[in-house]
């Protein structure tokens, strides 16, 4: 019997990452990556195992090459590495006139440096015909006030993913970007003023916040065999927001 392929979901204990991990568990053994929140990652693993899947949690710092390598190595113990999804990220609402070196460096490490290092490690280690997906944000094109660094990092990530798609295409590895709009996660609720969340929930054609599962379905399709001919794409998963 051929071994089930493995998938790494960096940020797999997070709001969107947890839904992505659960959805990928239908076709992969899943490595759920976390940084600070072992409990949330453990709950995702328990849910997957409870549904008959295979999953393990791995605590690593995805802003370092060594941390990402450790997650990929742990996944390879579950099965041949086919899929890597980067769901790591963070944002705040600093005005451009209040930016400091510390704010820029923090956002850079979490949002862009970790995505670039993930593209590098996954590009080297994912099997031929594999899948790489990175999460951007609708902010990358909406350019909301107080999000200058986040917008810059997500726009950079989108460009880098398209370059990676070109370089890895000869091995039939696809690299795609998913751009969620406002999505109902604990981090959105704890970081954002309720009035702003209310406005966000009315700003798309569907007039509601996205759910983590809305995003996970798009990621799952991009990682499926059916999506072989889609690479270097940036897919809006926003309920229609422009
Ligand atoms: N929610 C939204 O409205 C929204 C909209 C557009 C785009 N996005 C993007 O979607 C992604 C997930 O967002 P979310 O709302 O699900 O947020 P979240 O729940 O806070 O998820 C972020 C994840 O990143 C992980 N992480 C942070 N720093 C890390 C590090 N140094 N090493 C490894 N992992 C690290 C966190 O792990 P620990 O908790 O274990 O530390 C967490 O699992 C992010 O890229 C975000 O920019 C979200």
């Amino acid at each position: 019997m051929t071994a089930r392929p493995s998938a790494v979901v960096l940020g797999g204990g997070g709001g969107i990452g947890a839904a992505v991990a659960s959805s990928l568990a239908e076709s992969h053994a899943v490595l759920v990556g976390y940084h600070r929140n072992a409990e949330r990652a453990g709950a995702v693993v328990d849910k997957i195992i409870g549904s008959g899947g295979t999953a393990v949690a791995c605590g690593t710092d995805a802003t370092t090459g060594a941390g990402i390598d450790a997650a990929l190595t742990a996944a390879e113990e579950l099965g041949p590495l086919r899929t890597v999804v980067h769901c790591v990220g963070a944002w705040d609402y600093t005005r451009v006139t209040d930016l400091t070196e510390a704010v820029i460096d923090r956002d850079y490490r979490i949002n862009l440096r970790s995505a670039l290092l993930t593209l590098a490690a996954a590009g080297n280690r994912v099997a031929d015909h594999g899948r790489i997906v990175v999460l951007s944000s609708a902010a990358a094109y909406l350019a909301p006030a107080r999000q200058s660094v986040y917008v810059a990092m997500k726009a950079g990530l989108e460009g880098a993913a398209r370059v990676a798609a070109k370089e890895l295409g000869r091995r039939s590895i696809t690299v795609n970007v998913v751009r969620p709009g406002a999505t109902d996660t604990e981090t959105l609720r704890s970081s954002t003023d309720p009035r702003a969340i209310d406005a966000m929930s009315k700003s798309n054609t569907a007039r509601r916040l996205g759910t983590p599962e809305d995003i996970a379905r798009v990621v799952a399709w991009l990682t499926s065999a059916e999506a072989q001919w889609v690479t270097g794409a940036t897919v809006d998963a926003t309920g229609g927001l422009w």
Side-chain angles (χ1 to χ4, degrees), residues 107-131:
D107 268 37
Y108 160 68
R109 285 183 72 87
I110 293 183
N111 292 305
L112 184 54
R113 178 176 146 122
S114 72
L116 289 170
L117 289 171
T118 298
L119 289 171
N124 277 313
R125 295 177 63 174
V126 159
D128 289 0
H129 303 278
R131 298 283 187 266

Side-chain angles (χ1 to χ4, degrees), residues 11 14-16 35-37 61-62 87-88 136 150 154 180-181 183 185 187:
I16 293 175
H35 187 224
R36 294 208 170 87
N37 209 323
D61 183 354
C87 297
V88 173
S136 178
Y150 186 64
K154 291 297 194 185
T183 306
T185 64
T187 299

Side-chain angles (χ1 to χ4, degrees), residues 20-200:
V20 169
S22 293
S23 146
L24 291 185
E26 289 172 23
S27 47
H28 299 73
V30 180
L31 187 292
V32 178
Y34 68 90
H35 187 224
R36 294 208 170 87
N37 209 323
E39 209 173 305
R40 279 207 308 181
V44 177
V45 167
D46 289 347
K47 184 180 161 206
I48 291 172
I49 291 173
S51 306
T54 302
V56 295
C58 177
T60 58
D61 183 354
T63 67
T64 69
I68 294 164
D69 275 337
L72 270 50
T73 298
E76 282 165 348
E77 285 168 18
L78 301 175
L81 181 62
R82 176 183 180 276
T83 299
V84 175
V85 184
H86 183 269
C87 297
V88 173
W91 61 90
D92 61 29
Y93 296 101
T94 306
R95 284 187 191 283
V96 72
T97 45
D98 293 332
L99 288 180
T100 61
E101 290 168 9
V103 168
I104 293 168
D105 289 350
R106 185 191 61 210
D107 268 37
Y108 160 68
R109 285 183 72 87
I110 293 183
N111 292 305
L112 184 54
R113 178 176 146 122
S114 72
L116 289 170
L117 289 171
T118 298
L119 289 171
N124 277 313
R125 295 177 63 174
V126 159
D128 289 0
H129 303 278
R131 298 283 187 266
I132 302 171
V133 179
V134 292
L135 290 196
S136 178
S137 167
Y141 67 90
L142 291 173
R146 298 186 178 216
Q147 292 217 287
S148 54
V149 194
Y150 186 64
V151 165
M153 298 308 136
K154 291 297 194 185
L157 166 161
E158 291 184 3
R162 284 164 60 81
V163 173
K166 259 183 198 159
E167 294 183 10
L168 298 174
R170 67 194 62 188
R171 290 177 46 216
S172 299
I173 295 169
T174 69
V175 185
N176 290 292
V177 176
V178 174
R179 263 187 194 153
T183 306
D184 200 354
T185 64
E186 274 177 40
T187 299
L188 180 76
R189 295 276 174 192
S190 61
S191 67
T192 306
D193 187 296
R195 286 166 301 180
I197 294 180
D198 187 51
M200 289 172 186

